Amino acid sequence: MALASLAIRWHDTALDLLDQRALPADTTWLRITNARDAAHAIREMVVRGAPAIGITAGYGLALEAQRLGDQASLAALAPAFEVLAASRPTAVNLFWALDRLRQAAGDLSGAALARHLSEQAERLHRDDLAANRRLGEAGLALLPEGARVYTHCNTGALATGGHGTALGIIRSAWEAGRLRSVYAGETRPWQQGARLTSWELMQDGIPVTLVVDSCAAMLMAQGEVDVVIVGADRIAANGDTANKIGTYSLAVLARHHGIPFIVAAPDSTLDAAMQDGSGIVIEQRPAEEVRQVAGQPCAPADCPVHNPAFDVTPAALISAIVTENGVIPSPDPTAMAAYFARSAS
Ligand code: MRU
């Protein structure tokens, strides 16, 4: 069955991805027909955002099973699992999706396996949208009337199966009349805030003001920000949270100014097996991303660069984590363990 969200269109025998590198100037779609293409699209940021990466990996596996035809089996799919798992290391949603499909494959083979993997990938896609809608509603209670929200990176429909995580709360708050305005940090070096979040919010008519990342402290000092809401790529068992580089700085700033700092993520972003944030692998990306802006040099060509794509915010700086199953206030090992126990029962 065909299934489409803002950036991911599934056509049963092929996947089309909105090339997010070209937004907002161009709307270009790339066709994906196998796992290698899907992994390449993830690595090169055609598709990005933790949940969207997981969904794409699911479809990539389903396409690979179709390509293998009668030969399709869990063993024959091993190289596909491997290439997808190697695409980006930090977002746990990728590994969560691959595990879900590995379990679903069981002893199936051939056309039955391909069909089942397609159905499972569609399910990941559909469930993520549903989770984000619930998460958006759950987050409403944490916002004051007329909230002015600061957000980072892009956590919207482009980054998920739809609605978004941090942007999901923002969208739900707008629908509920609780939101006054949004500050979007531009998010160097990929400019997800500038190119994607502002684009998504403007399309929905949600009042957004774009700022350079280094403007956040001043806005908070001036009393312009009521709450910071961000997404996550991986949340450890103690609540430590990996998200786009710059998230940690915002959490420190929010604490200094007494502003609530909220992390929004579906359960697929929780990594109960990761004890704390120190074990999370942080992706290092190419130097050119920092030495250039939109392909134009903005630094000496040979200047050494440090370019981690994510940082880890200690749980102690997080006011609450919001998932589709509710709010975890003041996350710490005990609150997280209670949440995991609740979800398992
Ligand atoms: O490098 P990106 O664009 O994939 O990073 C995205 C983020 O850090 C998001 O905040 C996170 O994946 C959550 S998206 C709902």
Side-chain angles (χ1 to χ4, degrees):
M1 180 200 121
L3 187 58
S5 52
L6 185 58
I8 303 175
R9 291 182 184 161
W10 173 242
H11 305 287
D12 293 328
T13 53
L15 175 69
D16 285 339
L17 295 175
L18 178 59
D19 188 346
Q20 299 190 32
R21 299 168 303 181
L23 289 173
D26 292 310
T27 309
T28 319
W29 290 82
L30 289 189
R31 175 135 295 198
I32 307 295
T33 56
N34 56 53
R36 196 162 291 277
D37 286 355
H40 188 258
I42 293 170
R43 190 168 38 251
E44 296 302 317
M45 309 279 283
V46 170
V47 60
R48 30 68 48 205
I53 290 172
I55 294 164
T56 300
Y59 284 133
L61 269 181
L63 289 169
E64 197 63 27
Q66 289 179 17
R67 199 181 67 78
L68 287 165
D70 290 346
Q71 303 304 312
S73 68
L74 200 47
L77 282 172
F81 275 100
E82 211 169 297
V83 75
L84 285 162
S87 59
R88 291 189 80 188
T90 305
V92 75
N93 305 62
L94 169 66
F95 306 96
W96 173 86
L98 293 177
D99 280 351
R100 286 277 291 254
L101 266 70
R102 187 179 285 110
Q103 276 164 29
D107 294 337
L108 292 172
S109 62
L113 174 58
R115 216 172 22 251
H116 193 55
L117 291 182
S118 297
E119 285 164 9
Q120 291 303 311
E122 287 176 16
R123 195 167 152 192
L124 296 186
H125 195 169
R126 227 179 275 113
D127 286 356
D128 189 60
L129 170 61
N132 291 337
R133 288 205 179 279
R134 289 192 0 234
L135 181 164
E137 292 296 314
L140 280 186
L142 302 175
L143 304 193
E145 283 295 337
R148 295 158 303 167
V149 177
Y150 189 105
T151 193
H152 189 55
C153 196
N154 172 266
T155 60
L158 291 168
T160 64
H163 198 64
T165 58
L167 277 202
I169 296 180
I170 287 168
R171 280 200 163 97
S172 297
W174 180 248
E175 286 163 15
R178 280 188 95 80
L179 182 82
R180 191 186 322 171
S181 56
V182 179
Y183 287 108
E186 65 174 346
T187 319
R188 272 285 285 155
W190 267 90
Q191 313 278 23
Q192 289 94 330
R195 297 187 302 103
L196 309 178
T197 296
S198 58
W199 183 76
E200 268 200 64
L201 292 179
M202 287 177 78
Q203 284 192 353
D204 280 8
I206 299 176
V208 57
T209 301
L210 181 63
V211 293
V212 297
D213 298 321
S214 38
C215 192
M218 191 177 98
L219 283 174
M220 291 185 199
Q222 290 174 335
E224 293 293 324
V225 177
D226 298 308
V227 55
V228 179
I229 315 179
V230 297
D233 282 79
R234 191 185 292 245
I235 300 176
N238 71 340
D240 290 353
T241 295
N243 190 50
K244 179 54 53 192
I245 188 77
T247 301
Y248 176 32
S249 332
L250 288 171
V252 172
L253 289 174
R255 175 58 54 92
H256 179 77
H257 293 96
I259 295 168
F261 184 88
I262 295 169
V263 171
D267 273 358
S268 53
T269 305
L270 302 183
D271 185 357
M274 180 68 65
Q275 204 180 352
D276 60 47
S278 66
I280 300 176
V281 176
I282 299 295
E283 177 185 12
Q284 295 287 331
R285 293 202 52 98
E288 289 316 317
E289 293 180 355
V290 178
R291 289 195 293 238
Q292 298 181 353
V293 172
Q296 297 301 312
C298 65
D302 51 358
C303 182
V305 162
H306 178 52
N307 185 19
F310 303 97
D311 56 27
V312 175
T313 299
L317 294 177
I318 299 171
S319 314
I321 295 173
V322 183
T323 78
E324 68 272 39
N325 292 314
V327 175
I328 310 167
S330 306
D332 63 10
T334 311
M336 295 298 293
Y339 178 81
F340 287 128
R342 233 179 17 249
S343 318
S345 63

